[in-house]
Amino acid sequence: MTTIAQSDRLIIRSWIPEEDARSAFQIYSDPEVTRFIKTKTTSIEDAIKLLQRWVILSTQLNGGGFWAVVSKATPEILGTIILIPLRDEAEQWTQNYEIGWHLKKSAWGNGYATEAAKAILDYGFNTLKLPTIYSIARPENTTSIRVMQRLNMIPIGRTNKYYHMELEIFKLGKLT
Protein backbone atom coordinates (compact mmCIF):
# COMPACT_ATOMS: atom_id res chain seq x y z
CA MET A 1 0.00 0.00 0.00
CA THR A 2 1.30 3.43 -0.97
CA THR A 3 0.13 6.67 0.62
CA ILE A 4 -0.23 9.35 -2.06
CA ALA A 5 -1.36 12.30 0.08
CA GLN A 6 -2.88 13.23 3.42
CA SER A 7 -5.07 15.99 4.76
CA ASP A 8 -6.33 16.79 8.24
CA ARG A 9 -8.95 14.03 8.18
CA LEU A 10 -7.99 11.83 5.25
CA ILE A 11 -5.38 9.45 3.92
CA ILE A 12 -5.29 8.94 0.17
CA ARG A 13 -3.69 5.62 -0.65
CA SER A 14 -3.46 2.95 -3.28
CA TRP A 15 -6.23 0.36 -3.32
CA ILE A 16 -5.61 -3.14 -1.94
CA PRO A 17 -7.99 -5.19 -4.11
CA GLU A 18 -8.70 -8.21 -1.91
CA GLU A 19 -8.84 -6.21 1.34
CA ASP A 20 -10.78 -3.24 -0.03
CA ALA A 21 -13.25 -5.05 -2.29
CA ARG A 22 -16.13 -4.98 0.19
CA SER A 23 -15.81 -1.20 0.57
CA ALA A 24 -15.55 -0.72 -3.19
CA PHE A 25 -18.59 -2.92 -3.72
CA GLN A 26 -20.54 -0.83 -1.18
CA ILE A 27 -19.66 2.32 -3.13
CA TYR A 28 -20.06 1.09 -6.71
CA SER A 29 -23.18 -1.02 -6.21
CA ASP A 30 -25.18 1.94 -4.88
CA PRO A 31 -27.31 3.38 -7.71
CA GLU A 32 -27.32 6.82 -6.08
CA VAL A 33 -23.51 6.90 -6.04
CA THR A 34 -23.19 5.61 -9.61
CA ARG A 35 -26.01 7.75 -11.03
CA PHE A 36 -23.60 9.98 -12.98
CA ILE A 37 -20.69 7.59 -13.59
CA LYS A 38 -20.06 4.47 -15.64
CA THR A 39 -18.26 2.51 -12.89
CA LYS A 40 -20.57 -0.05 -11.28
CA THR A 41 -20.11 -3.38 -9.51
CA THR A 42 -22.56 -6.23 -9.02
CA SER A 43 -20.52 -8.46 -6.69
CA ILE A 44 -17.45 -8.57 -4.47
CA GLU A 45 -15.68 -10.44 -7.29
CA ASP A 46 -16.55 -7.55 -9.65
CA ALA A 47 -15.12 -5.11 -7.11
CA ILE A 48 -11.87 -7.10 -6.83
CA LYS A 49 -11.49 -7.05 -10.64
CA LEU A 50 -12.23 -3.31 -10.75
CA LEU A 51 -9.63 -2.55 -8.08
CA GLN A 52 -7.07 -4.84 -9.72
CA ARG A 53 -7.60 -2.97 -13.02
CA TRP A 54 -7.20 0.38 -11.22
CA VAL A 55 -3.98 -0.73 -9.49
CA ILE A 56 -2.50 -1.82 -12.84
CA LEU A 57 -3.62 1.39 -14.58
CA SER A 58 -2.19 3.47 -11.74
CA THR A 59 1.25 1.99 -12.40
CA GLN A 60 1.00 3.14 -16.05
CA LEU A 61 -0.11 6.74 -15.51
CA ASN A 62 3.16 8.51 -14.68
CA GLY A 63 2.11 9.28 -11.11
CA GLY A 64 -1.62 9.59 -11.74
CA GLY A 65 -4.08 7.01 -10.56
CA PHE A 66 -7.21 5.77 -8.85
CA TRP A 67 -6.90 5.89 -5.05
CA ALA A 68 -8.85 5.09 -1.91
CA VAL A 69 -9.94 7.95 0.34
CA VAL A 70 -9.68 6.71 3.93
CA SER A 71 -10.79 8.38 7.16
CA LYS A 72 -7.94 8.97 9.63
CA ALA A 73 -10.40 8.70 12.52
CA THR A 74 -11.41 5.17 11.50
CA PRO A 75 -9.98 2.77 8.94
CA GLU A 76 -13.14 3.31 6.88
CA ILE A 77 -12.85 3.81 3.13
CA LEU A 78 -15.00 6.78 2.21
CA GLY A 79 -14.54 6.70 -1.55
CA THR A 80 -12.23 7.10 -4.51
CA ILE A 81 -10.28 10.02 -5.89
CA ILE A 82 -8.71 9.99 -9.32
CA LEU A 83 -6.09 11.99 -11.14
CA ILE A 84 -5.91 10.52 -14.62
CA PRO A 85 -5.52 11.67 -18.22
CA LEU A 86 -8.80 12.50 -19.91
CA ARG A 87 -9.69 10.15 -22.76
CA ASP A 88 -10.76 11.53 -26.11
CA GLU A 89 -13.60 10.34 -28.37
CA ALA A 90 -11.44 7.41 -29.52
CA GLU A 91 -10.79 6.43 -25.86
CA GLN A 92 -7.12 7.44 -26.14
CA TRP A 93 -5.36 9.14 -23.25
CA THR A 94 -4.85 12.88 -23.77
CA GLN A 95 -2.21 15.15 -22.21
CA ASN A 96 -4.89 16.76 -20.03
CA TYR A 97 -5.35 15.37 -16.52
CA GLU A 98 -8.68 15.29 -14.75
CA ILE A 99 -9.45 15.08 -11.06
CA GLY A 100 -12.60 13.30 -9.93
CA TRP A 101 -14.16 11.75 -6.84
CA HIS A 102 -16.76 9.15 -5.91
CA LEU A 103 -17.85 8.93 -2.28
CA LYS A 104 -20.16 6.49 -0.59
CA LYS A 105 -23.50 7.99 0.34
CA SER A 106 -22.83 8.02 4.10
CA ALA A 107 -19.79 10.25 3.44
CA TRP A 108 -21.72 12.86 1.47
CA GLY A 109 -22.07 16.38 2.86
CA ASN A 110 -19.01 16.28 5.13
CA GLY A 111 -16.53 18.14 2.94
CA TYR A 112 -14.51 15.00 2.18
CA ALA A 113 -14.59 15.45 -1.61
CA THR A 114 -13.26 18.99 -1.35
CA GLU A 115 -10.62 18.02 1.23
CA ALA A 116 -9.41 15.01 -0.77
CA ALA A 117 -9.41 17.04 -4.00
CA LYS A 118 -7.30 19.81 -2.43
CA ALA A 119 -4.72 17.21 -1.35
CA ILE A 120 -4.63 15.64 -4.83
CA LEU A 121 -4.51 19.02 -6.58
CA ASP A 122 -1.46 19.84 -4.46
CA TYR A 123 0.06 16.47 -5.41
CA GLY A 124 -0.72 17.04 -9.10
CA PHE A 125 0.73 20.54 -9.22
CA ASN A 126 3.71 20.15 -6.88
CA THR A 127 4.74 16.51 -7.30
CA LEU A 128 3.66 15.73 -10.87
CA LYS A 129 4.26 19.34 -12.02
CA LEU A 130 1.04 19.42 -14.03
CA PRO A 131 0.38 22.93 -15.40
CA THR A 132 -3.43 22.54 -15.46
CA ILE A 133 -5.89 20.06 -13.97
CA TYR A 134 -9.42 19.65 -15.31
CA SER A 135 -12.59 18.30 -13.76
CA ILE A 136 -15.72 17.19 -15.55
CA ALA A 137 -19.27 16.37 -14.53
CA ARG A 138 -22.59 15.83 -16.16
CA PRO A 139 -24.56 19.10 -16.10
CA GLU A 140 -27.17 17.64 -13.74
CA ASN A 141 -24.49 16.56 -11.22
CA THR A 142 -24.76 19.81 -9.29
CA THR A 143 -23.08 18.38 -6.19
CA SER A 144 -19.81 17.69 -8.02
CA ILE A 145 -20.05 21.04 -9.79
CA ARG A 146 -20.32 22.74 -6.38
CA VAL A 147 -17.14 20.94 -5.27
CA MET A 148 -15.37 22.25 -8.38
CA GLN A 149 -16.56 25.75 -7.52
CA ARG A 150 -15.33 25.39 -3.91
CA LEU A 151 -11.93 24.40 -5.36
CA ASN A 152 -11.93 27.71 -7.30
CA MET A 153 -11.88 25.84 -10.59
CA ILE A 154 -12.79 27.95 -13.60
CA PRO A 155 -15.80 26.87 -15.68
CA ILE A 156 -14.95 26.44 -19.36
CA GLY A 157 -18.40 25.40 -20.57
CA ARG A 158 -19.89 22.23 -21.98
CA THR A 159 -18.11 19.65 -24.06
CA ASN A 160 -18.82 16.36 -25.79
CA LYS A 161 -15.11 15.55 -26.21
CA TYR A 162 -14.88 13.03 -23.36
CA TYR A 163 -16.70 9.88 -22.27
CA HIS A 164 -19.23 10.10 -25.15
CA MET A 165 -21.54 12.44 -23.24
CA GLU A 166 -22.20 16.09 -22.64
CA LEU A 167 -20.15 17.33 -19.69
CA GLU A 168 -19.44 20.55 -17.84
CA ILE A 169 -15.68 21.11 -17.79
CA PHE A 170 -13.71 23.15 -15.28
CA LYS A 171 -9.98 23.84 -15.01
CA LEU A 172 -7.46 24.98 -12.46
CA GLY A 173 -3.92 26.09 -13.19
CA LYS A 174 -1.07 26.07 -10.70
CA LEU A 175 -1.08 29.88 -10.55
CA THR A 176 -4.87 30.19 -10.63
Side-chain angles (χ1 to χ4, degrees):
M1 173 192 72
T2 303
T3 298
I4 306 302
Q6 293 190 47
S7 65
D8 289 344
R9 300 180 296 164
L10 305 172
I11 296 169
I12 298 165
R13 64 160 173 83
S14 55
W15 284 99
I16 306 166
E18 289 74 20
E19 290 179 30
D20 298 338
R22 189 167 302 282
S23 295
F25 174 68
Q26 179 186 14
I27 296 164
Y28 294 106
S29 66
D30 184 334
E32 286 187 73
V33 172
T34 61
R35 179 175 165 206
F36 299 115
I37 61 175
K38 293 181 178 182
T39 305
K40 296 170 180 37
T41 58
T42 57
S43 67
I44 298 291
E45 293 75 25
D46 252 8
I48 291 171
K49 288 176 187 168
L50 172 69
L51 297 180
Q52 288 172 335
R53 191 166 62 251
W54 282 356
V55 167
I56 291 166
L57 271 173
S58 295
T59 66
Q60 301 167 352
L61 293 177
N62 300 319
F66 300 78
W67 304 298
V69 177
V70 182
S71 168
K72 282 185 175 178
T74 66
E76 176 185 18
I77 294 174
L78 304 174
T80 301
I81 190 146
I82 66 168
L83 184 64
I84 61 171
L86 282 161
R87 290 186 189 202
D88 63 19
E89 297 95 337
E91 296 295 319
Q92 298 300 310
W93 298 113
T94 69
Q95 297 299 312
N96 297 327
Y97 273 71
E98 72 163 303
I99 187 171
W101 43 84
H102 316 137
L103 298 179
K104 66 181 180 178
K105 194 173 168 192
S106 64
W108 292 359
N110 294 295
Y112 295 130
T114 303
E115 187 173 333
K118 284 179 179 178
I120 291 301
L121 286 167
D122 180 68
Y123 168 78
F125 289 131
N126 295 313
T127 301
L128 300 184
K129 306 295 185 202
L130 298 173
T132 305
I133 298 174
Y134 296 86
S135 193
I136 54 175
R138 292 168 80 179
E140 60 272 23
N141 188 349
T142 56
T143 304
S144 278
I145 290 170
R146 280 195 301 274
V147 172
M148 294 172 205
Q149 291 166 338
R150 278 194 292 279
L151 294 168
N152 296 316
M153 297 188 92
I154 299 165
I156 298 173
R158 292 196 179 175
T159 183
N160 290 305
K161 268 179 79 170
Y162 310 107
Y163 300 105
H164 304 289
M165 63 180 78
E166 185 176 62
L167 299 163
E168 292 285 343
I169 186 165
F170 286 68
K171 74 175 184 176
L172 187 65
K174 183 171 170 69
L175 301 175
T176 303

